[in-house]
Amino acid sequence: MSKRQLCQFVLLRPRLSITSRPLRRSFTAGANGSNSSRWANRAAIAAFSLSALVYAMTSQKPVKLDARSLAELDERTKREKGVDENSPMRLRMEQFIREQQKAIVFELEKLDGKSFREDTWSREKGGGGVSCVLQEGNIFEKAGVNISVVYGTLPKPAIAKMRVNHKNLAEADEVDFYALGLSMVLHPNNPMAPTVHLNYRYFETMRPDGTSQAWWFGGGSDLTPSYLFDEDAVHFHKTLKEACDKHNKEYYPKFKKWCDEYFCNAHRGESRGVGGIFFDDLDETVADKENTFAFIQDCLKSFLPSYLPIMERRKDMPFTAKEREWQQVRRGRYVEFNLVHDRGTAFGLNVPGSRVESILMSLPLTASWRYMYEPVPKSREHRLLEVLKNPKEWV
C-alpha cells in the first residue's frame, strides 16, 4: 500500500467518537446493556479496520524505485544525514572522488599557473557531474579532470552482456543501475613531457527497492610519452606497484599485463603508451567491497606522487619543431585508440542524456595524421615505437 493509499484508508474508515467530557457510568441494567452493545460494535469495526489494513499492506507489491527516484533519495540523504562509513558504497565512493578531484586540480593549477574552468551539470534522469578543464595553459595544452554520476536503466541486451562476467546480475528485461567515475587526461605542451590518463569507477545494479544487488570497481592509470625517458617509466610503474602491493602482491603484475593488452591500437600493432595498471570487474569474487574500496583509494591517491615529479623534470626542457611534429603524430594515435577501441568512450556516448563534451574531454587540442609517416631507424622516435610494439617490464 502506498503512503497516499494508507492516508486515505485511515481517513475514511469508521472512527470512535471522542469527547472532551468525562464519561458517565449508568448503574441501570438497560443503560449498561446499551453501552456494552455500542462498545462491542465499535470494537468490531476497529478490529475489521486493522485486519483490512494488514491485508492491504501485505498484499501490495513491494515499492519499486526507478532510477530517478533513487537519485532524489540519495541527494536527500546527502543533504540531511551526510555520508559516513555506514552509508551506501555509491555515496562513499562519490564523496571520495570529489575530494580527490579537488586535490588534483589544486596541484595542477599550482604547476601550470592558470585556473581550470569548472562546469557543474546534471542529468534529467538522475546524476550529473563536475567537469574541470584547462586549455592553452602554461604547461598543459589541454587538461581535464571530470566526475560523472549516472542513474539509469540497463536494457536486456546489456544485462546479458554483463552477466558474462557477473553471474549474480539479475536476469530481467531491465535493471536500474548506478555508475560513477573520475576520469582525467593531461596533454602537456612540451613533447618531452608525457600525456597521462587516469580513471577510477564504481558500478552497481539495484533491486526494485533501491538496495544494491551486483557491484564492481574498475580503474587504472597509464603513461603515454612521445619521447621515452626510462627513468620516468620506472618511477611511474614503481609508484603504482607500491600502491598495489599494500593489498595484494599479485595485483600489479596482473593489472600491468591487463593494461598493456587493453591500451593497444590493434589496427596498428602497437600499445598506446608505456602502460601502468588497468583493471575492471573487481567484485566479491576478487575481494570484499570494503577491501576493494581501500585498494581504489590507495591507487587514486598514488597519482600525484607518480606524475608530478616527472612533470617537474620535463616541463621546461628544450625541443625542436621536428620533435613537436612527432608529438602531434603520437597524439593522433591517442585519438585513434579513444574513438575506436575505448570501452569507456563507447559506453558514455551510448548512455541516453550523456554529456558529450565531458566524454570527449580526453582528446588533445591538436593532433595530426601524416601519410606513411615512419621514424628514422635508430632514432629516439624509432626506439619509442619498438617499445610500444614490445611492452617492457619496468619494475
Side-chain angles (χ1 to χ4, degrees):
M1 173 177 282
S2 69
K3 185 176 180 181
R4 183 177 179 182
Q5 289 173 318
L6 179 58
C7 291
Q8 290 175 337
F9 184 87
V10 173
L11 290 171
L12 294 177
R13 68 179 175 82
R15 297 186 178 187
L16 298 177
S17 60
I18 299 175
T19 177
S20 59
R21 293 178 297 174
L23 293 174
R24 296 178 180 176
R25 288 187 182 179
S26 172
F27 292 97
T28 64
N32 187 50
S34 176
N35 267 345
S36 299
S37 175
R38 188 181 304 114
W39 283 106
N41 289 337
R42 289 172 176 173
I45 291 171
F48 173 78
S49 300
L50 180 61
S51 299
L53 176 60
V54 171
Y55 173 78
M57 291 177 69
T58 56
S59 64
Q60 291 287 325
K61 294 181 179 179
V63 175
K64 183 183 186 304
L65 295 176
D66 59 21
R68 184 168 183 172
S69 298
L70 182 62
E72 292 169 350
L73 177 62
D74 281 351
E75 286 301 316
R76 187 164 66 249
T77 298
K78 287 185 287 187
R79 283 196 310 270
E80 297 176 357
K81 299 181 180 179
V83 178
D84 58 29
E85 60 183 10
N86 298 315
S87 300
M89 180 56 71
R90 60 181 178 269
L91 300 187
R92 294 169 63 193
M93 178 67 171
E94 180 183 343
Q95 181 185 58
F96 170 65
I97 67 170
R98 288 187 185 279
E99 292 169 352
Q100 290 302 299
Q101 182 190 39
K102 291 178 181 177
I104 291 171
V105 166
F106 177 77
E107 292 297 332
L108 295 179
E109 287 182 338
K110 280 172 56 179
L111 180 67
D112 190 276
K114 287 192 175 181
S115 299
F116 280 71
R117 167 179 171 170
E118 181 177 309
D119 292 330
T120 300
W121 49 276
S122 60
R123 297 180 69 253
E124 183 180 350
K125 294 186 178 181
V130 180
S131 297
C132 297
V133 179
L134 172 65
Q135 290 188 154
E136 299 177 316
N138 296 314
I139 305 300
F140 298 105
E141 183 179 276
K142 188 177 180 185
V145 189
N146 291 355
I147 285 176
S148 179
V149 179
V150 177
Y151 293 81
T153 303
L154 292 173
K156 193 168 186 177
I159 297 170
K161 189 174 181 180
M162 288 184 174
R163 276 183 53 79
V164 173
N165 295 316
H166 303 280
K167 301 301 182 185
N168 60 343
L169 186 58
E171 290 188 81
D173 291 333
E174 61 179 33
V175 172
D176 290 331
F177 75 90
Y178 170 92
L180 162 74
L182 171 64
S183 298
M184 181 192 69
V185 178
L186 310 178
H187 294 289
N189 286 314
N190 196 314
M192 303 301 151
T195 287
V196 70
H197 160 258
L198 172 150
N199 176 275
Y200 288 98
R201 55 195 175 274
Y202 176 71
F203 188 97
E204 73 175 26
T205 60
M206 275 83 76
R207 297 183 180 90
D209 64 357
T211 58
S212 175
Q213 188 212 18
W215 60 269
W216 58 90
F217 290 89
S221 182
D222 59 285
L223 199 67
T224 305
S226 297
Y227 284 91
L228 180 59
F229 294 88
D230 286 31
E231 62 267 35
D232 293 351
V234 169
H235 170 78
F236 188 78
H237 279 264
K238 182 174 180 290
T239 308
L240 287 171
K241 183 178 185 299
E242 289 171 352
C244 291
D245 286 352
K246 286 199 285 186
H247 298 270
N248 189 323
K249 292 189 181 298
E250 294 181 0
Y251 279 176
Y252 173 75
K254 179 180 179 181
F255 298 157
K256 191 269 183 188
K257 183 175 184 291
W258 200 341
C259 184
D260 290 338
E261 293 172 350
Y262 179 77
F263 291 105
C264 177
N265 268 326
H267 60 284
R268 291 191 180 273
E270 62 186 48
S271 297
R272 187 175 75 174
V274 296
I277 60 171
F278 174 84
F279 54 88
D280 204 3
D281 303 321
L282 294 194
D283 57 16
E284 70 277 1
T285 64
V286 179
D288 64 74
K289 190 180 288 188
E290 289 299 327
N291 280 317
T292 307
F293 182 42
F295 169 62
I296 294 291
Q297 289 174 300
D298 283 336
C299 286
L300 182 46
K301 288 178 181 178
S302 76
F303 167 70
L304 291 172
S306 75
Y307 187 66
L308 290 185
I310 296 173
M311 286 303 299
E312 292 292 351
R313 290 194 294 265
R314 310 300 169 203
K315 63 185 177 67
D316 297 319
M317 289 184 68
F319 61 89
T320 66
K322 196 69 176 175
E323 288 166 338
R324 172 69 172 172
E325 180 182 285
W326 173 248
Q327 179 196 48
Q328 296 298 296
V329 171
R330 294 313 309 169
R331 283 184 176 170
R333 303 293 171 91
Y334 198 96
V335 171
E336 289 176 25
F337 175 84
N338 282 30
L339 296 184
V340 176
H341 301 294
D342 187 55
R343 293 189 322 207
T345 302
F347 176 82
L349 292 176
N350 283 286
V351 171
S354 60
R355 192 171 191 262
V356 176
E357 288 296 321
S358 295
I359 297 167
L360 298 183
M361 168 277 301
S362 63
L363 302 182
L365 199 59
T366 59
S368 69
W369 286 262
R370 291 179 176 272
Y371 181 70
M372 297 299 289
Y373 189 92
E374 294 292 337
V376 176
K378 297 184 179 180
S379 64
R380 294 183 66 193
E381 294 84 359
H382 185 264
R383 179 172 182 256
L384 173 69
L385 209 53
E386 288 300 307
V387 171
L388 298 183
K389 290 180 178 179
N390 302 282
K392 290 182 60 175
E393 297 299 324
W394 297 103
V395 293

